[in-house]
Amino acid sequence: MNTSQNVSEGAGNNVNKPLIIALDFPGLQEVKGFLNEFDGEKLFVKVGMELFYKEGPQILTYLKEQQHQIFLDLKLHDIPNTVKNGMKSLASYEVDMVNVHALGGKAMMEAALEGLEAGTPSGQQRPACIAVTQLTSTSEERMQQEQLIGHKLQEVVLHYAALTKKSGLDGVVCSTLEVPMIRQKVGDKFLTVTPGIRLANQGVDDQVRVATPETARMNGTSAIVVGRAITGAKQPLQAYKQVKQEWEGVQV
Ligand code: C5P
C-alpha cells in the first residue's frame, strides 16, 4: 500500500484519510467509463459483490494495474472454517482491505485473520480486515423487529466494535454517527470506515444512518465510503471534488 491513503496503520490521526469510491457498477466497461474522467488520478476504490461476481478477479487485476488501492467488500459471514479458507483465497489477490460481518462472532473473525495471514504471499503485508457492525441501511426499529435484538442500535454497534477489536481485527464498518462513541470505547488506533455518506442536498436512497463528509471529518472517521453521491451524480468528477473538499476540509 502506498502511504498517501494508508488505512492499515495510523488510524485516528489526520494524515491518512482515504475517500473510498464504491464502484457499484455492473461491469468493467462501466468502471472504465467512470474512471476515465479521473485522468489517471490514483484512487482508493471499493469493489463490492455486484462487480466482483460479474467480472471476477480480473477486475482487481485491472484496478491494480491502474495503481488504485482496493477495498474488496464481500462481507464474509459463514462458519469459521469456511471463512478462514475463503479469506486465504482472497489474500492471494493482494488487495488493501477486506471485510466480514461481526455478527459471525469472535471465532469466525479470528478465523478470517488466520486465513488472511496464511494466504498473504511472504514478504507482503496482509490486507486490513474490518467487520461490519450493523449495515448503514438498518434502522433501530428494523433491527429490533427483524433481528429480534432488544437493545439500542448504538449499544449493538458498540458491542460489535469491542468484539471485533477483541478478535484482533483492524476496525469496523459503521455509520459516521457512531464513530465518536466507538473511539471512546476502543481507542484511536481502531479503523472506522463509514458508508452512508451524502452531500447535504442529496437524497438518502436505501441508506438510513447517513452523514455528510464534513460530519465524518468532525467525528474523526478513518475513511469514508462514497458510492451514489459520486457515481450517481450528473458530473461525477465535480461531485468527487466536492466530497473530497468537505472530507479533507481543504480547498482542492
Ligand atoms: O451509494 P452508497 O454511497 O449508499 O453506497 C454505499 C456502499 O457501501 C455500497 O457499496 C454498500 O454495499 C456499502 N456498505 C454500506 N453499509 C455497510 C457496509 C457497506 O452501505 N455497512
Side-chain angles (χ1 to χ4, degrees):
M1 285 172 76
N2 73 37
T3 51
S4 61
Q5 294 203 48
N6 189 346
V7 291
S8 69
E9 51 193 49
N13 64 33
N14 281 322
V15 181
N16 305 306
K17 294 275 198 171
L19 187 181
I20 304 174
I21 303 179
L23 295 178
D24 292 328
F25 292 109
L28 178 62
Q29 286 320 310
E30 290 82 357
V31 169
K32 281 184 174 169
F34 173 77
L35 292 176
N36 232 355
E37 272 205 54
F38 287 79
D39 206 21
E41 184 167 345
K42 308 295 171 239
L43 303 168
F44 203 131
V45 296
K46 181 174 86 65
V47 174
M49 52 182 86
E50 179 183 8
L51 189 55
F52 190 75
Y53 292 167
K54 176 74 193 316
E55 297 292 352
Q58 64 158 358
I59 188 68
L60 306 177
T61 308
Y62 170 76
L63 293 167
K64 278 160 67 97
E65 277 167 8
Q66 309 299 309
Q67 295 177 288
H68 300 308
Q69 289 178 266
I70 303 171
F71 170 17
L72 183 55
D73 175 23
L74 298 179
K75 301 188 184 69
L76 275 61
H77 185 183
D78 208 316
I79 60 170
N81 188 56
T82 301
V83 169
K84 180 172 88 182
N85 293 327
M87 280 298 186
K88 194 171 170 192
S89 297
L90 292 186
S92 68
Y93 299 143
E94 298 186 57
V95 296
D96 299 279
M97 188 186 281
V98 294
N99 62 355
V100 296
H101 271 288
L103 192 57
K106 186 161 175 282
M108 189 209 76
M109 289 194 272
E110 287 170 346
L113 268 194
E114 216 184 297
L116 268 186
E117 270 154 19
T120 299
S122 76
Q124 299 298 315
Q125 196 185 352
R126 72 156 171 81
C129 186
I130 60 177
V132 177
T133 53
Q134 280 285 343
L135 294 168
T136 42
S137 55
T138 302
S139 66
E140 180 167 277
E141 191 188 14
R142 221 179 298 146
M143 179 196 75
Q144 291 177 345
Q145 286 177 4
E146 295 179 9
Q147 299 177 23
L148 217 59
I149 294 177
H151 291 269
K152 292 266 170 220
L153 189 134
Q154 293 213 336
E155 284 169 15
V156 175
V157 169
L158 210 48
H159 175 71
Y160 286 162
L163 188 70
T164 301
K165 177 126 196 250
K166 250 189 236 155
S167 310
L169 270 61
D170 305 295
V172 284
V173 186
C174 61
S175 160
T176 288
L177 308 173
E178 293 136 14
V179 170
M181 67 170 192
I182 291 175
R183 290 239 168 280
Q184 210 179 12
K185 172 121 180 166
V186 298
D188 275 352
K189 292 260 182 255
F190 200 60
L191 297 171
T192 49
V193 177
T194 69
I197 300 293
R198 294 292 182 276
L199 291 165
N201 59 352
Q202 290 177 323
V204 301
D205 306 300
D206 57 345
Q207 297 282 19
V208 175
R209 291 158 26 238
V210 299
T212 63
E214 189 182 14
T215 304
R217 170 165 53 83
M218 305 297 279
N219 282 7
T221 301
S222 313
I224 54 171
V225 173
V226 188
R228 285 162 290 186
I230 294 173
T231 55
K234 281 202 182 89
Q235 294 177 300
L237 185 57
Q238 272 307 109
Y240 168 75
K241 285 182 176 167
Q242 194 182 339
V243 170
K244 193 167 155 64
Q245 182 179 333
E246 269 195 39
W247 169 232
E248 295 179 348
V250 290
Q251 212 61 30
V252 288

